[in-house]
Amino acid sequence: MASIPLKDLDVYKIAHQIGSDVWDLVHGWDYFNKDTLGKQLIRSADSISLNICEGYGRFYYKEKKVFYYYARGSLYETFEGLKKASERNLIGEIQYKKLADDIILYGPKLNNFINSVGKTKKSSKEQNDK
């Protein structure tokens, strides 16, 4: 995998945006809702990009993947947190749908990124030997 700067990776940029969007969403909640669901939702949303960053900084592919898997777990946790926020009328249907759609579209991108880690293109000789 070619060394692309982290800030230029779509998988990072989208994760960072999800964290920012969730922050903006929770920022206006009252104390009780922020202290219960809000903090957890922000932590899980921020954890997506933070784990991508940590994995990106690791040297070994297997080690990198561990953090990318953590990011995927945080993505699912964020989705569930948004669902709870919607059910508890903390966010409107439009806000929920927009963020939920972003997460649903992002999931396959993150999976493809994880699957690409450690893969190298086979030389034409190796492909011809099959």
Side-chain angles (χ1 to χ4, degrees):
M1 185 160 99
S3 183
I4 299 170
L6 177 65
K7 67 179 183 59
D8 294 336
L9 288 175
D10 284 341
V11 74
Y12 164 75
K13 290 190 282 190
I14 296 167
H16 182 82
Q17 187 60 52
I18 289 170
S20 294
D21 291 346
V22 168
W23 174 270
D24 291 342
L25 191 71
V26 172
H27 190 264
W29 292 1
D30 67 33
Y31 175 78
F32 176 78
N33 292 319
K34 272 187 198 175
D35 192 48
T36 53
L37 181 59
K39 286 180 181 179
Q40 184 65 28
L41 184 53
I42 289 170
R43 279 193 296 271
S44 67
D46 284 346
S47 181
I48 302 165
S49 63
L50 290 170
N51 276 298
I52 289 170
C53 289
E54 187 160 358
Y56 193 82
R58 300 295 174 137
F59 182 75
Y60 297 104
Y61 293 125
K62 285 183 181 180
E63 198 176 15
K64 288 176 178 291
K65 279 190 165 188
V66 167
F67 288 95
Y68 300 151
Y69 288 136
Y70 292 156
R72 186 170 64 191
S74 294
L75 181 71
Y76 281 89
E77 182 180 2
T78 302
F79 184 81
E80 179 62 17
L82 289 169
K83 186 175 174 187
K84 288 183 182 302
S86 176
E87 291 169 350
R88 296 171 186 176
N89 297 314
L90 297 172
I91 59 175
E93 184 63 30
I94 293 171
Q95 293 172 307
Y96 170 72
K97 180 146 178 46
K98 190 247 183 251
L99 279 166
D101 287 349
D102 289 348
I103 288 172
I104 290 166
L105 292 172
Y106 177 68
K109 291 177 190 293
L110 181 56
N111 282 334
N112 289 338
F113 177 71
I114 293 168
N115 290 332
S116 74
V117 173
K119 303 248 173 148
T120 58
K121 290 187 176 183
K122 293 181 180 180
S123 69
S124 58
K125 181 180 180 335
E126 287 176 319
Q127 290 176 352
N128 291 336
D129 289 342
K130 284 188 173 182

